[in-house]
């Protein structure tokens, strides 16, 4: 608009009844650019970044995908540093957060914030039909409220930094896995811990470190040092379909091969893990090799809830003193334990011994081997 025309409009509106209407005709205030996107950073649902002069909001967990990306994870919030105003922001009431209570079965969309029955707040990472925030942790992330004075501004937990009380530091994690695939990140593991809060937080400090070391040692063996995302022996792929299950193998007979830190395999494990996490992994098993958060959560699901060919979960084996050897039995005992493959067992044991040494504790009670 030319300066002459704008001055004419100002004069006309002033004569018509004051300058308030004039301000409504002016361009909206420029949006402030959010923090610059970084390839190495992990962003969770609700996180906002700027890239090439535009703001973007993450719909779910992401890393290494520059906005606007190709997967749909980034929602364009408009230009920043220009004439586009900031998007509306949900805020709490003065002095405290005020968001609606979660309702089972109600449809939620990405970005919705609720107060759950545990008194904590959660933000939706994905649209979902009312899944529980503490069960379907792929769909929800914890949400913190901070601020004071004249009001309270809710903010998501920081996407980077902090380890949520995890007994393994990032430096120790990097020491354990110096050649790891970028798919496996320390922060990705930390973010997944909320799905199973008892993991590495049960018992003494030494017991907690021993459980963390045991989990990571088995992951080290299964993935060659967190290098491999999928099972390397492709000849095994068609063998993981149990057609006796009523749901069969809808993604294809060769679709349920090992993926992720514990190499989740078999259609019945994908079905059970997906049900627990609120994700249809039976029909979409590839999520375990394409979404780092899903990969970590499926590994923790198995560790904390499944006994496999053993008699107890790996979590129970460590916190109840059965020993590292029982975690091997629960993960792959039918192929490795009782003398079936001592070389593979020894590989796991040696990794565990290295990792407890890094954490400064002993190997703990119970048998090392199986």
């Amino acid at each position: 608009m030319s300066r002459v025309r704008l001055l004419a409009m100002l004069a006309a509106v002033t004569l018509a009844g004051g300058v308030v209407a004039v301000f409504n005709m002016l361009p909206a205030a420029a949006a402030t650019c959010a923090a610059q996107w970084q390839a190495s950073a992990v962003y969770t649902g609700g996180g906002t970044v700027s890239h090439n002069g535009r703001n973007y909001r993450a719909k779910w967990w992401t890393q290494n995908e520059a906005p606007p990306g190709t997967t749909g994870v980034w929602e364009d919030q408009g230009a920043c540093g220009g004439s586009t105003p900031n998007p509306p922001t949900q805020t709490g009431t003065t002095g405290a957060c005020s968001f609606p209570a979660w309702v089972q079965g109600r449809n939620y969309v990405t970005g919705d914030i609720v107060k759950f029955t545990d008194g904590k707040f959660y933000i939706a990472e994905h649209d979902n039909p009312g899944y529980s925030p503490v069960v379907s942790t792929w769909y929800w992330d914890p949400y913190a409220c901070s601020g004071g004075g004249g009001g309270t501004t809710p903010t998501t937990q920081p996407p980077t930094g902090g380890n949520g009380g995890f007994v393994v530091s990032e430096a120790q994690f990097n020491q354990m896995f110096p050649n790891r695939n970028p798919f496996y990140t320390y922060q990705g593991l930390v973010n997944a811990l909320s799905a199973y809060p008892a993991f590495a937080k049960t018992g003494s400090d030494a017991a907690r470190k021993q459980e963390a070391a045991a989990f990571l040692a088995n992951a080290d063996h299964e993935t060659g040092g967190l290098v491999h995302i999928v099972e390397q022996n492709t000849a095994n792929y068609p063998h993981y379909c149990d057609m006796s299950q009523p749901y069969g193998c809808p993604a294809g007979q060769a679709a349920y091969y090992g993926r992720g830190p514990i190499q989740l395999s078999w259609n019945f494990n994908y079905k059970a893990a997906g049900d627990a996490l609120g994700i249809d992994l039976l029909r979409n098993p590839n999520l375990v090799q394409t979404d780092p958060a899903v990969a970590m959560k499926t590994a923790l699901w198995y560790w904390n809830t499944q006994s496999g060919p053993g008699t107890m979960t790996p979590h129970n084996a460590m916190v109840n003193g059965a020993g590292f050897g029982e975690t091997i039995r629960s993960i792959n005992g039918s192929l490795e334990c009782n003398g079936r493959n001592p070389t593979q067992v020894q590989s796991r044991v040696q990794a565990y011994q290295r990792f407890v040494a890094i954490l400064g504790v002993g190997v703990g009670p119970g048998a090392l081997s199986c």
Side-chain angles (χ1 to χ4, degrees), residues 139-182:
Y139 286 94
W140 296 94
D141 260 349
Y143 198 86
C145 291
S146 62
T152 299
T153 303
T155 57
T156 52
Q157 296 283 7
T160 57
N163 68 357
F166 189 37
V167 292
V168 180
S169 71
E170 186 167 8
Q172 290 168 332
F173 180 81
N174 290 335
Q175 185 179 354
M176 293 172 178
F177 303 105
N179 301 311
R180 60 181 171 80
N181 191 308

Side-chain angles (χ1 to χ4, degrees), residues 264-288:
L264 186 74
S265 54
W266 290 98
N267 55 331
F268 47 80
N269 281 327
Y270 279 88
K271 173 70 163 63
D275 288 349
L277 298 172
I279 316 166
D280 189 358
L281 294 181
L282 184 66
R283 289 175 174 76
N284 301 286
N286 278 335
L287 283 173
V288 184

Side-chain angles (χ1 to χ4, degrees), residues 308-310 328-338 340-341 370:
I328 303 173
R329 190 180 303 279
S330 297
I331 291 171
N332 209 27
S334 60
L335 296 179
E336 296 180 15
C337 294
N338 300 324
R340 293 183 180 92
N341 199 329
C370 64

Side-chain angles (χ1 to χ4, degrees), residues 18-236:
V19 295
V20 175
V22 174
F23 292 118
N24 292 334
M25 299 169 62
L26 295 176
T32 301
C33 284
Q36 181 68 29
W37 173 81
Q38 297 181 33
S40 61
V42 173
Y43 299 99
T44 55
T48 304
V49 300
S50 64
H51 188 60
N52 293 335
R54 300 186 72 82
N55 280 334
Y56 295 88
R57 179 180 176 278
K59 296 180 182 178
W60 55 82
W61 194 102
T62 184
Q63 185 182 31
N64 289 326
E65 182 174 348
T70 58
T71 66
V73 65
W74 291 110
E75 182 178 27
D76 192 340
Q77 300 290 288
C80 59
S83 60
T84 304
N86 279 320
T89 303
Q90 291 179 288
T91 57
T93 57
T94 301
C97 290
S98 179
F99 293 103
W102 169 82
V103 177
Q104 185 176 11
R106 175 178 293 175
N107 287 323
Y108 292 99
V109 298
T110 303
D112 280 349
I113 303 168
V114 297
K115 184 177 182 180
F116 192 55
T117 55
D118 59 3
K120 298 178 181 178
F121 295 93
Y122 297 85
I123 184 169
E125 290 184 353
H126 297 78
D127 297 355
N128 69 88
Y131 292 135
S132 167
V134 297
V135 175
S136 301
T137 50
W138 187 66
Y139 286 94
W140 296 94
D141 260 349
Y143 198 86
C145 291
S146 62
T152 299
T153 303
T155 57
T156 52
Q157 296 283 7
T160 57
N163 68 357
F166 189 37
V167 292
V168 180
S169 71
E170 186 167 8
Q172 290 168 332
F173 180 81
N174 290 335
Q175 185 179 354
M176 293 172 178
F177 303 105
N179 301 311
R180 60 181 171 80
N181 191 308
F183 179 83
Y184 298 113
T185 69
Y186 175 76
Q187 196 62 39
L189 171 59
V190 169
N191 290 345
L193 296 180
S194 61
Y196 295 95
F199 170 74
K201 290 189 177 181
T202 303
S204 66
D205 182 66
R208 296 177 183 196
K209 290 179 179 178
Q210 286 156 358
E211 183 181 8
F215 172 80
L216 294 171
N218 279 293
D220 176 85
H221 174 82
E222 295 284 329
T223 62
L226 289 187
V227 171
H228 303 302
I229 301 171
V230 302
E231 183 175 355
Q232 297 301 289
N233 187 355
T234 56
N236 284 340

